[in-house]
C-alpha cells in the first residue's frame, strides 16, 4: 500500500515537474520573442531615421543649389532603401539633382523609375514635365503637369509648371492665373513669384495689356 502511494506520488511529481518545465520554456519563448521584436523594431526605427536624414540632406542640398550633393545623398538613401516608396523618393531626388545639373536623359530615367515604383507620388511628374518642356516636348510636359494636379490638387509645383507652359505658348492670362494659384498654395517658394514677376515684367516691356 505504501509502495503504491509512493509510486503514485512519484508520477504526480514527475508530471508537475514536466508542467513547470513546459511553462518555463513557454515563458522563455515569449521573452525571446519580445526581445527580438523590440530589437527588430529598434533596427527598423534606426533605418527609417537614417533614410529620412539622407533624404532631408538631399533636399537641403537642392535648396542651397548644391546639386552634386543632392545626387550623392539621394544615392546614399537609395542604397539603404527597403520599400518601393523609399526607393521612389530616392530616385526622385536623384532625378531632381541631375535635372538641375543639366543631365536631362539621366534625370528622365530616374523620374520614370520613381513613378514606376510609386505611381501616386506627385513629385516625379513635375520634374519629368520640366524635363519634357526643356526638350521641347510641350504636349508631354503639359500632360505631366495635369497629372500632378490630378493626383494632388494642392500641389503648388504642378500649377507652377502648367503656368510656365501656358506662358511659353503665349497664353499669358491663363499662365499668370496658374502662377498665382501656385503662390496661393505655397508662398514660401520664391521660384513661383519670380516666374510671375518675370512674366509681368516681360509683358510690360513688350506693351502687352
Amino acid at each position: 500500500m505504501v509502495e503504491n502511494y509512493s509510486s503514485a506520488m512519484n508520477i504526480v511529481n514527475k508530471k508537475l515537474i514536466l508542467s513547470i518545465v513546459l511553462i518555463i520554456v513557454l515563458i522563455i519563448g515569449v521573452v525571446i520573442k519580445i526581445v527580438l521584436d523590440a530589437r527588430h523594431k529598434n533596427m527598423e526605427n534606426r533605418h527609417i531615421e537614417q533614410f529620412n536624414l539622407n533624404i532631408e540632406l538631399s533636399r537641403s542640398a537642392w535648396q542651397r543649389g548644391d546639386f552634386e550633393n543632392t545626387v550623392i545623398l539621394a544615392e546614399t538613401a537609395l542604397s539603404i532603401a527597403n520599400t518601393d516608396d523609399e526607393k521612389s523618393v530616392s530616385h526622385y531626388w536623384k532625378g531632381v539633382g541631375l535635372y538641375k545639373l543639366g543631365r536631362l536623359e539621366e534625370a528622365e530615367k530616374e523620374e520614370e523609375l520613381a513613378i514606376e515604383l510609386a505611381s501616386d507620388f506627385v513629385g516625379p511628374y513635375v520634374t519629368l514635365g520640366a524635363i519634357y518642356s526643356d526638350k521641347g516636348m510641350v504636349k508631354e510636359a503639359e500632360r505631366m503637369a495635369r497629372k500632378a494636379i490630378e493626383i494632388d490638387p494642392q500641389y503648388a509645383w504642378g500649377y507652377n509648371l502648367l503656368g510656365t507652359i501656358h506662358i511659353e505658348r503665349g497664353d499669358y492670362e491663363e499662365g499668370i492665373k496658374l502662377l498665382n494659384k501656385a503662390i496661393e498654395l505655397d508662398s514660401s517658394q520664391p521660384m513661383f513669384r519670380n516666374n510671375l514677376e518675370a512674366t509681368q515684367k516681360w509683358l510690360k516691356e513688350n506693351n502687352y495689356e
Side-chain angles (χ1 to χ4, degrees):
M1 185 75 175
V2 173
E3 290 180 0
N4 289 340
Y5 175 77
S6 178
S7 178
M9 287 302 295
N10 285 336
I11 292 171
V12 170
N13 288 336
K14 287 179 180 179
K15 287 183 178 180
L16 181 60
I17 291 169
L18 181 59
S19 297
I20 293 170
V21 169
L22 288 173
I23 291 170
I24 292 172
V25 169
L26 287 171
I27 292 172
I28 291 172
V30 170
V31 171
I32 290 173
K33 185 178 185 305
I34 291 171
V35 170
L36 290 175
D37 285 349
R39 183 178 297 176
H40 175 75
K41 187 67 176 178
N42 190 39
M43 290 175 63
E44 184 179 335
N45 288 339
R46 284 204 302 269
H47 162 77
I48 292 172
E49 288 174 4
Q50 188 63 41
F51 175 81
N52 288 340
L53 174 62
N54 279 287
I55 291 298
E56 180 58 29
L57 289 172
S58 180
R59 187 182 68 82
S60 296
W62 167 76
Q63 284 184 320
R64 64 176 182 270
D66 184 359
F67 305 124
E68 291 284 358
N69 269 320
T70 301
V71 174
I72 290 169
L73 289 160
E75 288 176 334
T76 302
L78 184 59
S79 71
I80 62 172
N82 288 334
T83 68
D84 284 350
D85 284 347
E86 289 178 346
K87 293 173 185 176
S88 178
V89 172
S90 303
H91 283 296
Y92 164 66
W93 279 108
K94 183 178 178 181
V96 168
L98 290 168
Y99 170 68
K100 297 300 287 186
L101 290 169
R103 293 156 63 179
L104 300 188
E105 297 300 327
E106 294 172 79
E108 184 176 345
K109 289 178 182 177
E110 293 299 324
E111 299 306 325
E112 286 174 345
L113 281 170
I115 291 172
E116 184 179 330
L117 287 161
S119 61
D120 60 346
F121 178 26
V122 67
Y125 292 96
V126 171
T127 308
L128 199 53
I131 293 167
Y132 287 154
S133 181
D134 286 0
K135 293 170 74 172
M137 302 164 63
V138 180
K139 287 184 178 179
E140 290 83 353
E142 182 175 353
R143 182 169 60 86
M144 290 296 105
R146 293 191 183 282
K147 182 65 176 178
I149 293 169
E150 176 189 328
I151 293 172
D152 185 358
Q154 301 302 309
Y155 191 59
W157 286 94
Y159 295 95
N160 176 70
L161 174 60
L162 190 57
T164 57
I165 291 169
H166 275 277
I167 288 165
E168 286 170 6
R169 66 161 60 122
D171 186 2
Y172 303 114
E173 184 178 352
E174 183 65 17
I176 288 172
K177 178 181 175 182
L178 289 162
L179 290 177
N180 276 315
K181 178 67 174 179
I183 294 168
E184 176 188 328
L185 289 170
D186 186 356
S187 59
S188 68
Q189 289 295 340
M191 182 184 293
F192 305 158
R193 192 168 297 281
N194 290 343
N195 287 340
L196 177 62
E197 291 175 353
T199 300
Q200 291 172 329
K201 180 181 178 182
W202 186 91
L203 291 174
K204 184 177 181 180
E205 289 175 349
N206 288 273
N207 298 317
Y208 277 85
E209 293 297 333

